[in-house]
Amino acid sequence: MAMTDTDRETDDMLESLFEAARAAPEPADAALMARVLADARAVQAETGPTALPRRGPGLWAMLGGWPAMGGLATATVAGLWLGFTPALGVGTAVSGLITASPGDVLSLMDVSEGFGLDMDETGLATEEDAG
Amino acid sequence: MQQMALDDSGELSDEALMVLFANGDEAAARILTTRLTPVVMAHAYRLLGDRTEAEDIAQEAMLRLWKIAGDWRQGEAKVTTWLYRVVANLSTDRLRRRGRNGPPLDEVPEPRDEAEGPAERMQTQARAEALQAALNALPERQRQAVVLRHIEGLGNPEIAGIMEISTEAVESLTARGKRALGAALAARREELGYGDD
């Protein structure tokens, strides 16, 4: 359908009116913005954090949270303390192991018995023999 | 958590801000409010032609957005698409309640261009009133399609998504709407200062 001059003029007028409307959108005033923001804060206060879906209880919760961490911290500090404390009250032979030279340690072991590892008694050795 | 860096958040998409909002982030609430309320308000006004009613609809649409934030699914729809649809539905309800009578013309606000002289200002206002009156006279779906296409400047596929119709139906609605607007305004061309073109 051919466009007449009148159609074109009307089209140009409409485009001009649309352009003016685009350039001057009806503004949202400060009072409206304040109401919208107040609604937003009310909804946040009401619902709390919900957006991030939790898959399972989470590592922190599985560890028992802060109460469990209290016990764990106590045990860790106690272990550290024991690790640094000289072997008071520990048997003389074991105490000697801690402080003796490498040569002394070897002298406390009976190497001739192979540390109790007799190859003939292992299942692996038996299977190889059978093969 | 509430003090998200504003420099970074300015770059965030509406959809990302929705996640932060649902996680209790106050800055996200503020940015979404300042970014989206003007969009919602302008659109509601174009559909209703009444400032007070448009403000009610804008607030209600934003409230619905806040409430759905926790269930918002990333990648499914743009936040603005969802909002345009909610505004249209709320406006339709409002129009049905008040009947088909448009608002009085004195509801059309004063033009806001301070640089204009009195004569220019009167003509700008007359044009704005004439366009809004012609929009008010259109059937609702035609009005919505024309406003989204020619004033909000959206493409046909996005309008189709908002109105939940095919792009062909969008083209048909905008063409018929624009023809009806032209027919309503052609006789006022000279009065609106277009006669000498």
Side-chain angles (χ1 to χ4, degrees):
Chain A
M1 186 174 12
M3 212 177 188
T4 66
D5 284 350
T6 310
D7 289 341
R8 200 162 290 118
E9 284 169 8
T10 303
D11 235 37
D12 289 347
M13 175 183 65
L14 280 181
E15 194 39 58
S16 162
L17 291 171
F18 289 144
E19 200 181 319
R22 280 196 294 273
E26 188 65 13
D29 65 20
L32 173 62
M33 301 284 259
R35 289 204 299 276
V36 169
L37 190 55
D39 284 346
R41 299 247 159 94
V43 170
Q44 281 184 317
E46 210 172 275
T47 57
T50 55
L52 297 175
R54 293 182 182 279
R55 294 178 182 82
L59 180 62
W60 183 249
M62 281 194 289
L63 289 171
W66 280 115
M69 285 307 106
L72 184 59
T74 305
T76 305
V77 171
L80 198 62
W81 173 253
L82 287 173
F84 279 111
T85 305
L88 295 173
V90 179
T92 310
V94 180
S95 178
L97 274 175
I98 295 169
T99 55
S101 68
D104 294 337
V105 173
L106 283 175
S107 71
L108 290 170
M109 301 177 183
D110 185 357
V111 185
S112 65
E113 288 187 16
F115 302 104
L117 295 174
D118 188 337
M119 292 302 286
D120 290 342
E121 290 175 14
T122 64
L124 188 62
T126 307
E127 278 172 20
E128 279 175 7
D129 292 347
Chain B
M1 177 170 84
Q2 272 70 19
Q3 296 305 316
M4 184 174 61
L6 280 174
D7 290 344
D8 296 339
S9 63
E11 305 296 322
L12 290 176
S13 68
D14 297 339
E15 292 72 25
L17 286 166
M18 285 284 277
V19 174
L20 291 170
F21 174 85
N23 210 29
D25 192 298
E26 288 180 14
R30 197 166 58 250
I31 294 160
L32 285 170
T33 297
T34 51
R35 193 186 282 182
L36 298 175
T37 308
V39 175
V40 169
M41 174 65 196
H43 191 53
Y45 177 77
R46 285 293 163 202
L47 296 182
L48 291 163
D50 179 84
R51 185 168 172 87
T52 307
E53 285 186 324
E55 284 186 336
D56 288 349
I57 298 300
Q59 189 178 357
E60 176 63 26
M62 291 301 289
L63 180 60
R64 292 188 183 194
L65 182 71
W66 305 139
K67 287 183 174 172
I68 204 174
D71 298 320
W72 190 265
R73 280 184 251 171
Q74 296 290 304
E76 279 202 1
K78 280 172 69 181
V79 173
T80 46
T81 298
W82 185 89
L83 276 173
Y84 279 129
R85 193 182 301 152
V86 170
V87 168
N89 291 340
L90 290 170
S91 299
T92 298
D93 291 346
R94 186 61 66 103
L95 288 168
R96 286 187 184 148
R97 245 184 289 156
R98 82 178 183 203
R100 287 305 315 270
N101 299 323
L105 283 182
D106 61 7
E107 293 285 355
V108 176
E110 293 288 323
R112 289 169 295 277
D113 190 346
E114 300 299 326
E116 288 181 327
E120 286 171 308
R121 201 175 304 159
M122 280 179 69
Q123 188 172 70
T124 302
Q125 180 164 6
R127 287 177 175 182
E129 285 176 0
L131 176 63
Q132 192 59 49
L135 283 170
N136 292 345
L138 290 181
E140 281 169 39
R141 299 288 276 177
Q142 282 185 29
R143 184 188 320 147
Q144 190 187 356
V146 166
V147 168
L148 289 170
R149 181 76 188 84
H150 295 290
I151 297 180
E152 308 298 348
L154 304 184
N156 286 347
E158 188 171 0
I159 299 171
I162 292 164
M163 298 183 71
E164 297 177 297
I165 55 176
S166 66
T167 51
E168 291 77 14
V170 172
E171 285 167 15
S172 168
L173 282 171
T174 48
R176 278 185 287 149
K178 206 174 159 191
R179 246 193 331 270
L181 281 182
L185 293 167
R188 300 183 66 185
R189 198 160 52 228
E190 282 192 31
E191 174 200 339
L192 297 173
Y194 293 106
D196 300 332
D197 294 349

